Amino acid sequence: MTDSEGRDIEITAVDRILPIDISGTIASTVFALGLGDRVVGRDSSTSFPGTEDLPVVTKTGHTLNAEAILELAPSVILTDTTIGPKEVRQQLRDAGIAVVVISSDRRLDTTDELVTEIAAALGVPSRGEALIARLDTAVEETLAEIAEVVPADTDDRARMLLLYVRGSANVYYIFGEDSGADSLIDAVGGVDVAAEIGWEGMKPMTAEALVAAQPDVLVMMTDGLESVGGIEGLIERIPAVAQTPAGANRRVIDMADSEILSFGPRTADVIGALARALYAPEPAT
């Protein structure tokens, strides 16, 4: 087969599969295709039921550990460019392992492509087609449910912004257009304020951009919010947050790091959970 980087790859066995990326999406897709019993290892983001006992092959977050991977003797590695370094991928190829680079574009409308690529690499295209049909139905049903509660007037819709933080490393990013966050916000009927200020991709946050965006709701990863000490800690570290409606009203939605931008087989669950948090939040305890 030819992977997303244009490499021609010969895959002779799929009995020992190693699916690794930054979000755990590739692994969840392999399991959804019914091949979870052939998975021999995982990345640090793969933590859904059935994967807990698999050895982790990433270190210091999302860096591939070549030695740990070689010890597992995978027959095929499915990965993408969200995890690296690329030199390690080449080292694994030089060791004779089939390394397939899957497209890294994670959005609501790329799930079918993701499943098709992975199913083709594993030699189960018919399973891929069946999975796509199931996932498309689930997403359509979830979007229909969300549409019933989205305000008809755009001015009444929640202005949303995905803020990525890692307090221990002093990292603060705004996720804009083509980051996947825009697709998530659109799916729940929110207004992507990063797009309004022309923010593209994932770039370091500036106080000026945050204030200009004026989000009603901040969407964050759970570990990121915890790393700054919760909402109050976030405002203390980033005073500009207090100058937004989201900060003034302490309105932050957090979701597990391994779920929020995973899409793939979990798309319907992710957008459904975000919509419930947005439109029917549980009362604070």
Side-chain angles (χ1 to χ4, degrees), residues 13-193:
V14 293
D15 56 320
R16 297 184 62 79
I17 306 168
L18 181 58
I20 39 178
D21 65 355
I22 201 170
S23 63
T25 306
I26 296 178
S28 66
T29 304
V30 173
F31 271 74
L33 288 168
L35 298 174
D37 59 338
R38 303 186 188 185
V39 174
V40 296
R42 65 183 176 95
D43 52 67
S44 56
S45 294
T46 296
S47 56
F48 53 87
T51 63
E52 304 92 336
D53 296 332
L54 292 171
V56 177
V57 297
T58 51
K59 59 182 179 180
T60 60
H62 301 291
T63 302
L64 296 177
N65 184 325
E67 292 74 18
I69 293 173
L70 290 171
E71 285 179 5
L72 296 177
S75 55
V76 59
I77 295 173
L78 304 176
T79 187
D80 62 23
T81 56
T82 64
I83 198 166
K86 62 181 181 181
E87 289 79 10
V88 171
R89 292 198 295 270
Q90 187 56 52
Q91 180 181 349
L92 297 170
R93 292 188 187 99
D94 292 342
I97 301 171
V99 179
V100 181
V101 178
I102 304 297
S103 172
S104 303
D105 192 10
R106 300 285 178 268
R107 303 174 57 83
L108 197 67
D109 57 3
T110 60
T111 297
D112 291 1
E113 177 186 348
L114 170 75
V115 173
T116 298
E117 288 184 55
I118 294 174
L122 299 179
V124 289
S126 59
R127 290 194 191 187
E129 293 170 2
L131 177 58
I132 287 171
R134 295 198 302 273
L135 297 181
D136 286 352
T137 297
V139 169
E140 288 170 6
E141 291 176 349
T142 303
L143 290 176
E145 292 176 4
I146 295 172
E148 293 179 1
V149 298
V150 175
D153 190 335
T154 303
D155 292 339
D156 294 331
R157 297 181 183 180
R159 297 171 55 78
M160 304 173 69
L161 179 75
L162 196 151
L163 183 64
Y164 175 91
V165 307
R166 283 295 181 269
S168 57
N170 208 32
V171 171
Y172 306 93
Y173 273 67
I174 290 175
F175 280 31
E177 288 187 284
D178 297 325
S179 66
D182 51 339
S183 180
L184 191 63
I185 291 170
D186 289 344
V188 298
V191 175
D192 179 19
V193 295

Side-chain angles (χ1 to χ4, degrees), residues 159 161 174 197 205-215 239-245:
R159 297 171 55 78
L161 179 75
I174 290 175
I197 62 173
M205 181 213 75
T206 66
E208 293 78 11
L210 191 58
V211 173
Q214 285 294 293
V241 171
Q243 300 177 46
T244 69

